[in-house]
């Protein structure tokens, strides 16, 4: 994250309605947002689209930042939600494409990059986890993808630290076989 003190100050001023502070904040965090989105989405263009969605969401809802937790924690939640939404949109679009696409023209990211494939598999595992055990998604996203500290992640998830750790353990245990089979 860019200079944390400056970012926190800009976020507080933006939440209070300072438009110049918001513009400066968006410019300051954009590279970090693109990088964070890239951890979710294998294709750079998709990550950049998701980053634009994050910045737009942030600009529209910055007044929802109350300063109870660090801005970076709040931002990572927006990043995770926008990336997961972008992934759903991409899956829906792919499902709606006509079946006349030649297999040779279709590029599966799993065959072009081990890293890209692992990200696609992770997003699919998150979708499945959300269907089967929705309360386990936030701990996995906050700790393993956003890489927040345990205490901060538990606070963001709104559960005690012990509960958070237990849910994270359950989530990892659920997801591990799905990823191993991918």
């Amino acid at each position: 994250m860019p200079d944390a003190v400056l970012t926190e100050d800009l976020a507080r001023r933006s939440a209070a309605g300072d438009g110049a502070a918001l513009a400066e904040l968006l410019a300051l965090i954009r590279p970090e947002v693109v990088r964070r989105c890239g951890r979710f989405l294998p294709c750079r263009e998709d990550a950049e689209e998701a980053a634009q969605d994050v910045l737009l969401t942030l600009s529209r809802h910055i007044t929802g930042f109350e300063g109870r937790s660090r801005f970076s924690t709040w931002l990572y939640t927006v990043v995770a939600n926008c990336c997961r939404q972008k992934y759903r949109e991409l899956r829906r679009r792919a499902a709606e494409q006509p079946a006349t696409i030649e297999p040779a023209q279709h590029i599966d990211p799993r065959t072009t990059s081990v890293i890209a494939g692992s990200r696609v598999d992770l997003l699919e595992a998150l979708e499945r986890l959300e269907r089967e055990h929705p309360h386990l998604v936030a701990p996995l996203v906050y700790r393993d993808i956003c890489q927040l500290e345990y205490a901060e992640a538990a606070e963001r998830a709104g559960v005690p630290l012990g509960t958070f750790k237990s849910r994270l353990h359950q989530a990892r245990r659920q997801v591990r076989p799905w990823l191993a089979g991918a």
Side-chain angles (χ1 to χ4, degrees), residues 89-101:
E89 176 187 316
L90 292 169
R91 279 186 54 195
R92 188 175 52 250
R93 250 193 270 154
E96 292 170 354
Q97 287 180 346
T100 57
I101 295 176

Side-chain angles (χ1 to χ4, degrees), residues 8 11-12 65-75 77 152 155-156:
E8 292 295 324
R12 277 192 291 283
F65 174 63
E66 299 171 352
R68 287 182 284 164
S69 61
R70 292 189 334 214
F71 173 73
S72 60
T73 304
W74 188 77
L75 176 62
T77 303
E152 188 175 0
E155 178 186 330
R156 192 71 195 146

Side-chain angles (χ1 to χ4, degrees), residues 1 4 7-8 11 29 32 36 54 58 65 67-81 138 141-143 146-158 164:
M1 197 75 198
T7 303
E8 292 295 324
I29 64 171
E32 177 69 14
R36 292 272 173 189
V54 168
L58 180 83
F65 174 63
R68 287 182 284 164
S69 61
R70 292 189 334 214
F71 173 73
S72 60
T73 304
W74 188 77
L75 176 62
Y76 295 156
T77 303
V78 176
V79 168
N81 290 338
V141 167
Y142 290 145
R143 179 67 189 134
C146 294
Q147 298 180 333
L148 299 178
E149 296 296 323
Y150 282 99
E152 188 175 0
E155 178 186 330
R156 192 71 195 146
F164 179 85

Side-chain angles (χ1 to χ4, degrees), residues 30-31 33-58 60 78-93:
R30 186 182 191 293
V33 169
V34 171
R35 190 178 69 73
R36 292 272 173 189
C37 290
R39 299 182 95 187
F40 281 91
L41 299 163
C43 177
R44 174 116 180 122
E45 291 81 12
D46 296 338
E48 288 177 354
E49 278 186 41
Q52 288 300 325
D53 293 345
V54 168
L55 297 174
L56 183 60
T57 299
L58 180 83
R60 288 182 177 163
V78 176
V79 168
N81 290 338
C82 286
C83 287
R84 291 173 61 214
Q85 183 60 40
K86 175 58 68 180
Y87 175 70
R88 287 184 195 110
E89 176 187 316
L90 292 169
R91 279 186 54 195
R92 188 175 52 250
R93 250 193 270 154

Side-chain angles (χ1 to χ4, degrees), residues 105-152:
Q105 294 174 345
H106 177 69
I107 298 172
D108 184 351
R110 288 177 233 219
T111 62
T112 59
S113 167
V114 173
I115 293 171
S118 66
R119 290 181 194 161
V120 169
D121 296 332
L122 176 61
L123 287 165
E124 289 175 357
L126 283 172
E127 289 296 307
R128 183 172 174 186
L129 187 64
E130 188 166 34
R131 283 191 309 271
E132 296 178 14
H133 306 283
H135 66 288
L136 300 180
V137 174
L140 193 66
V141 167
Y142 290 145
R143 179 67 189 134
D144 290 354
I145 298 174
C146 294
Q147 298 180 333
L148 299 178
E149 296 296 323
Y150 282 99
E152 188 175 0

